[in-house]
Amino acid sequence: MTWLKWSVVPVWLLSLTGALIIGVTAAPEMRVTWLAITLAGAIVLTFVIQIAIQRKERFVARATASIVGSLALVAAATALFAIV
């Protein structure tokens, strides 16, 4: 379980930090574009971390947790920005 937490949390933090920065600094019409770029960065970071770990056990579970969690954070930020 420690590999799962260690490899998932940094990706979620990147997504959350990216969404917060985008919410504060980006123009409203550009937020969706920047959120998509943030999600793409999270996906790339997921695979960089998984390659760095060099463990094939539970690879799919770790990658799925990272990507789905990032997607949920970015989707929540998108919904929040649509309301505001």
Side-chain angles (χ1 to χ4, degrees):
M1 191 62 157
T2 58
W3 286 106
L4 181 67
K5 290 178 186 175
W6 181 85
S7 65
V8 170
V9 172
V11 179
W12 291 353
L13 290 176
L14 169 80
S15 298
L16 181 62
T17 304
L20 291 173
I21 291 170
I22 290 164
V24 172
T25 62
E29 63 273 2
M30 292 300 295
R31 286 181 180 159
V32 173
T33 302
W34 285 110
L35 285 170
I37 293 169
T38 301
L39 184 59
I43 291 169
V44 169
L45 181 62
T46 294
F47 288 109
V48 167
I49 290 173
Q50 298 312 317
I51 290 170
I53 290 175
Q54 297 182 354
R55 293 178 61 100
K56 61 183 176 181
E57 297 84 13
R58 300 191 39 93
F59 167 79
V60 174
R62 293 189 311 264
T64 301
S66 294
I67 294 171
V68 171
S70 294
L71 179 63
L73 287 168
V74 170
T78 303
L80 182 66
F81 296 152
I83 294 171
V84 176

